[in-house]
Amino acid sequence: MIRKPTNLTRRRLLAAAAAGLALPATAVLSMRARAAAPCPSLTAHHRFSLGAFEVVTLRDADVMLDGPWPVVGEDRPESEVQALMHEHLLPRDRFQPGFTPTLVDTGAQRILFDTGNGDQGFVPPPRGGRLAPSLQQAGYSPEQIDLVVLTHGHPDHIGGLMHQGKAAFPRAAYVMGGQEFDFWAATDDRLRAPEESIEHQSARLFSSHLAPLADTMTRIGPGDEIAPGIHAVAAHGHTPGHLAFHVESRGQRLLLWGDCAHHEVASLAHPEWHALFDQDKNQGAATRKRIYDMAATERLAVVGYHTSFPSIGFVQRRGQHGYRWIPLTYQFQTS
């Protein structure tokens, strides 16, 4: 089990950040989480058609946290991030990130992108690890998943791979970036990081959740096709081999960008701001600028894993260097 910090305070966390120390992966989630339990009335899935494909985004967690600083803008004064939140009519010091795996049913395959927190991720049950019931509400069972695709190896993306020591998707094959897989497969190196760091926790989950599936894991790189109409897109920086995925059917297009944004206002308005959980801060910023520019220029629909559920929207340029997230409304409705 991953130990959760029990004595972290906001003051200690921010002092550690200022000192350049390794921050616990669960630290931000420990700062005054605002929801005692999930609300049963919340919609657990959102379904739409993309050409001949069916796309379903799935709610894995529901939690209100302190932030978005320092999750976004850790290199900026807290007051600057709070002012941006106030400008956009949002609370200055709390936010509700999405944790949103996505199912793409091509007709030939049911492909699941990321698996949520499971019982050992950043948001464990009851507020997180809710992929299985969300799938069930959407009309799918774990046994119906043919392929599981992982954008990267952080606990809130791989935590749902296993349930009670067994593969949660017993019939599935698996896909992950080869560079990403190799980074986490160097488990001994990763475990030398501080015990509560995201690197250490991810390495432990790799050993328990990913390594047992290695024989059914296909390792890919940018540009590779994982299924007809679905290609990998380079999105490195958040992790060394982080990938996004471009999905196209009958001329309709969708970008699943994984963790290219941790907040739909702050991350897009200032892609140059550092993100707390990026392993390479500068490359992460460069990737955000490139991905946002592509989404805006090509008018792509986007699934953003950490944007507010149902985590679907579009990107519009705003000013010289910034962007704006436009949530989905009726763009995919045909009647």
Side-chain angles (χ1 to χ4, degrees):
M1 291 288 292
I2 292 176
R3 293 194 298 112
K4 307 295 181 187
T6 57
N7 62 345
L8 280 168
T9 65
R10 183 177 178 84
R11 187 180 300 275
R12 286 186 58 204
L13 178 73
L14 302 184
L21 303 178
L23 287 168
T26 53
V28 174
L29 299 179
S30 299
M31 293 190 298
R32 295 189 301 170
R34 310 262 177 166
C39 175
S41 64
L42 289 173
T43 301
H45 73 280
H46 182 90
R47 188 189 317 268
F48 65 97
S49 294
L50 185 84
F53 295 171
E54 179 176 79
V55 179
V56 186
T57 59
L58 300 153
R59 187 193 296 267
D60 182 69
D62 171 43
V63 63
M64 187 75 76
L65 305 172
D66 282 2
W69 186 88
V71 176
V72 180
E74 65 165 330
D75 59 330
R76 309 304 304 165
E78 181 178 11
S79 59
E80 186 174 347
V81 181
Q82 289 185 341
L84 180 66
M85 295 301 97
H86 183 70
E87 177 188 344
H88 286 83
L89 304 178
L90 291 170
R92 293 175 181 268
D93 61 356
R94 65 184 189 276
F95 76 121
Q96 189 172 33
F99 292 85
T100 309
T102 299
L103 175 69
V104 177
D105 189 339
T106 70
Q109 286 181 296
R110 296 181 177 99
I111 304 172
L112 179 66
F113 291 85
D114 291 326
T115 66
N117 289 276
D119 60 2
Q120 297 185 49
F122 292 157
V123 189
R127 288 177 293 171
R130 293 154 56 188
L131 176 58
S134 293
L135 266 175
Q136 183 178 19
Q137 188 187 99
Y140 292 94
S141 69
E143 290 77 16
Q144 291 178 292
I145 303 302
D146 300 300
L147 186 64
V148 174
V149 180
L150 302 170
T151 59
H152 63 295
H154 280 168
D156 53 329
H157 295 258
I158 69 170
L161 284 170
M162 291 285 177
H163 180 64
Q164 297 180 347
K166 297 181 180 180
F169 306 99
R171 293 184 54 256
Y174 299 86
V175 166
M176 190 179 202
Q179 184 176 348
E180 184 77 359
F181 184 95
D182 291 344
F183 178 80
W184 297 113
T187 306
D188 290 344
D189 292 341
R190 310 284 79 82
L191 290 176
R192 293 190 184 99
E195 185 175 348
E196 292 293 352
S197 70
I198 189 171
E199 186 170 333
H200 187 103
Q201 292 191 24
S202 297
R204 291 180 65 178
L205 274 189
F206 180 94
S207 296
S208 61
H209 286 52
L210 260 176
L213 305 171
D215 289 344
T216 59
M217 179 76 67
T218 299
R219 303 170 202 181
I220 63 169
D224 287 350
E225 182 178 75
I226 64 166
I230 305 178
H231 294 81
V233 177
H236 304 163
H238 180 60
T239 57
H242 181 264
L243 293 174
F245 291 88
H246 179 266
V247 181
E248 183 169 1
S249 175
R250 295 180 179 172
Q252 291 191 312
R253 303 167 65 198
L254 176 70
L255 179 68
L256 291 89
W257 72 22
D259 280 13
C260 286
H262 288 84
H263 190 274
E264 59 261 39
V265 170
S267 296
L268 278 86
H270 289 281
E272 78 281 6
W273 283 358
H274 285 182
L276 177 68
F277 292 128
D278 280 0
Q279 289 184 256
D280 186 324
K281 309 293 184 182
N282 292 330
Q283 189 176 32
T287 289
R288 282 189 292 278
K289 294 174 185 178
R290 175 174 55 82
I291 292 290
Y292 299 167
D293 184 72
M294 177 177 68
T297 299
E298 301 183 22
R299 301 173 68 90
L300 296 174
V302 174
V303 173
Y305 191 86
H306 287 301
T307 58
S308 296
F309 192 83
S311 307
I312 311 161
F314 297 82
V315 176
Q316 183 182 64
R317 287 186 183 83
R318 183 174 184 178
Q320 188 173 359
H321 302 294
Y323 298 85
R324 175 188 174 206
W325 175 259
I326 301 176
L328 179 75
T329 53
Y330 53 86
Q331 287 91 339
F332 289 107
Q333 294 181 18
T334 57
S335 61

